[in-house]
Amino acid sequence: MEYDLVFEGGGAKGLAFVGALKSFERRGHTPRRVIGTSAGSILAAMVAAGYNSAESYEAIAEKLPDGRSRFASFLETPNIEDNPQLQESMRYWLVTELDNPAVPNLIEPVVDALIKSLIKREGMRHLVSLLLWGGWYSGDGFMSWLKERLDFNGRNLSGTTLTEFHERTGKDLNLVASDVTGREMLVLNHRTAPTLPTTWAVRMSMGCPFAWPEIVWQAEWGAYRGRDLNGHRVVDGGLLSNFPLKLLISSDDYIDEIMGQNSASQNVIGFLIDESLPVPGIEETPDQGSTFQNIYDHLDLLQEMIYRIRGLADTVLSAHDKFINEKDVQFVCRLPAKGFGTLEFDMPGERMDAILNAGEAAMEAFFEGSKQGVPGG
């Protein structure tokens, strides 16, 4: 049977999706439309690109040469020293944005020397990136990984627009992002943003505020629903809708314009990450500060700021659209994720296996409950 799938945001906790997909496939089901927010947008794009659960597991289990998870590269230090464009932004900020009458009088060599001095320190590069571009980490590692995965095994999808992606795959991919300039939710697909590059659509959707730099919409990406968004700042879809189930089970003029005519469906499964449900085999909450320990070692004075960034990431990507009508519960499969951190990308193998297995068991329970007439999840 074909199902429309909704993937909630949740950062590293989205690993549970892969386990759930394993059960989904084992029962002979296939995806039709897919929609995702934040980390859910990554799985949505992979599913639409033809990834099965085995290939998805291979992607998330990839290791760096030093043995860490490839996902750890998503938390990399911004590279400012080798990026003239970023240095120019920093130069502009130092000269014109600081409200200090002495700064504009600095001659160019002094400004350049100050920039070179600042960007030599790893912690300072993080701070500069946060102040200028809204993100503590660089998004380069994620973009490299995403392009590789969209091209994997002859897919050659990394250079596509959303329209080209739809034409080549035959799948209806939808990605939720938040336009903080226009103060609205964006649903990015081949109907609403036909010439937007697929990779940038995913990157917008997963860009947790303050964790990764915000994305500025470029003129060459075209319009959104016929409107010019050039220069608009776009961040994580979870800021406005982390679990966009309504877009697949409801129908009105607005939804039909975005999702297609007569878009409401009864064959829908919403993959909802539930931090209140324990993961079997996981007894203790991890020291989520360990992800940032290398930063703490160098920037003791910024510990409070880092705690706040981490807390915001957990809040934005854990606070899904809480209210689910009783009649909609039947569409929701709740995936256990208690004790797992939003930015816990470099989790050890035993924790990864535990959350994958929990996701698989949750999907089994969802289908068994559906057969017995009990609401799924």
Side-chain angles (χ1 to χ4, degrees):
M1 181 180 292
E2 278 192 327
Y3 280 91
D4 294 334
L5 305 180
V6 184
F7 294 98
E8 189 204 8
K13 291 172 284 191
L15 292 171
F17 298 148
V18 178
L21 286 173
K22 186 176 180 181
S23 170
F24 178 82
E25 294 168 359
R26 187 166 55 242
R27 291 173 174 267
H29 302 308
T30 55
R32 190 171 72 108
R33 293 181 298 175
V34 291
I35 185 168
T37 294
S38 194
S41 72
I42 303 172
L43 259 295
M46 292 176 67
V47 168
Y51 273 76
N52 57 31
S53 59
E55 287 180 308
S56 298
Y57 178 80
E58 177 185 336
I60 65 175
E62 183 181 354
K63 299 293 184 182
L64 295 168
D66 62 6
R68 293 181 301 148
S69 168
R70 176 72 183 273
F71 282 13
S73 67
F74 297 1
L75 305 178
E76 65 185 349
T77 303
N79 184 0
I80 300 175
E81 191 168 5
D82 297 328
N83 192 318
Q85 183 177 2
L86 296 186
Q87 289 192 42
E88 184 57 36
S89 295
M90 188 175 177
R91 182 179 292 106
Y92 177 85
W93 181 69
L94 283 171
V95 173
T96 66
E97 296 297 323
L98 291 181
D99 188 18
N100 185 333
V103 174
N105 296 325
L106 293 174
I107 58 176
E108 186 172 339
V110 175
V111 173
D112 289 341
L114 179 58
I115 291 174
K116 290 180 180 179
S117 175
L118 290 174
I119 63 179
K120 284 182 179 179
R121 297 181 62 85
E122 178 180 333
M124 187 56 66
R125 292 201 298 275
H126 280 291
L127 183 58
V128 167
S129 178
L130 176 64
L131 293 174
L132 295 187
W133 307 292
W136 186 266
Y137 299 107
S138 167
D140 295 342
F142 170 74
M143 289 294 281
S144 295
W145 177 86
L146 178 62
K147 290 175 182 178
E148 289 176 19
R149 285 298 152 186
L150 290 181
D151 288 338
F152 180 72
N153 205 18
R155 287 178 171 85
N156 298 322
L157 294 169
S158 70
T160 62
T161 63
L162 289 172
T163 295
E164 293 166 341
F165 184 96
H166 173 67
E167 292 172 346
R168 294 189 194 180
T169 64
K171 296 298 182 183
D172 194 331
L173 173 64
N174 305 269
L175 307 167
V176 177
S178 301
D179 178 359
V180 296
T181 302
R183 300 182 181 181
E184 69 170 321
M185 179 180 76
L186 307 179
V187 183
L188 307 170
N189 58 39
H190 65 282
R191 290 174 291 271
T192 62
T195 57
L196 176 65
T198 305
T199 52
W200 283 112
V202 178
R203 173 63 182 82
M204 289 177 189
S205 182
M206 63 78 64
C208 181
F210 299 146
W212 290 283
E214 60 195 17
I215 302 301
V216 178
W217 192 288
Q218 303 299 304
E220 59 267 28
W221 295 347
Y224 174 76
R225 298 178 65 202
R227 292 185 284 110
D228 181 14
L229 296 190
N230 184 32
H232 282 220
R233 297 177 295 115
V234 184
V235 299
D236 196 298
L239 196 65
L240 296 179
S241 180
N242 210 34
F243 190 53
L245 180 69
K246 289 293 186 183
L247 292 175
L248 291 180
I249 64 175
S250 303
S251 182
D252 57 32
D253 290 344
Y254 169 76
I255 293 177
D256 287 350
E257 180 185 345
I258 290 174
M259 304 299 296
Q261 290 297 316
N262 303 313
S263 59
S265 171
Q266 291 299 303
N267 287 347
V268 177
I269 301 176
F271 294 78
L272 182 71
I273 295 171
D274 193 332
E275 294 84 2
S276 70
L277 294 180
V279 176
I282 301 298
E283 298 180 357
E284 297 182 2
T285 301
D287 178 10
Q288 296 182 23
S290 62
T291 302
F292 301 88
Q293 190 59 52
N294 60 329
I295 303 175
Y296 294 159
D297 291 342
H298 299 288
L299 289 173
D300 290 340
L301 294 178
L302 294 176
Q303 284 193 27
E304 182 61 29
M305 179 184 293
I306 299 166
Y307 272 121
R308 289 181 178 180
I309 293 170
R310 189 191 72 215
L312 177 62
D314 278 326
T315 300
V316 169
L317 297 182
S318 297
H320 48 71
D321 301 359
K322 293 287 187 182
F323 182 72
I324 300 175
N325 290 326
E326 184 177 348
K327 65 183 180 65
D328 298 338
V329 172
Q330 61 182 310
F331 302 115
V332 179
C333 176
R334 295 182 179 274
L335 306 176
K338 185 175 183 179
F340 283 77
T342 299
L343 299 181
E344 194 187 344
F345 289 110
D346 192 21
M347 67 178 67
E350 61 271 17
R351 288 180 62 78
M352 182 182 293
D353 290 341
I355 196 169
L356 289 168
N357 292 337
E360 182 178 358
M363 176 95 325
E364 286 292 310
F366 173 86
F367 281 119
E368 289 301 318
S370 297
K371 285 196 305 183
Q372 297 169 18
V374 178

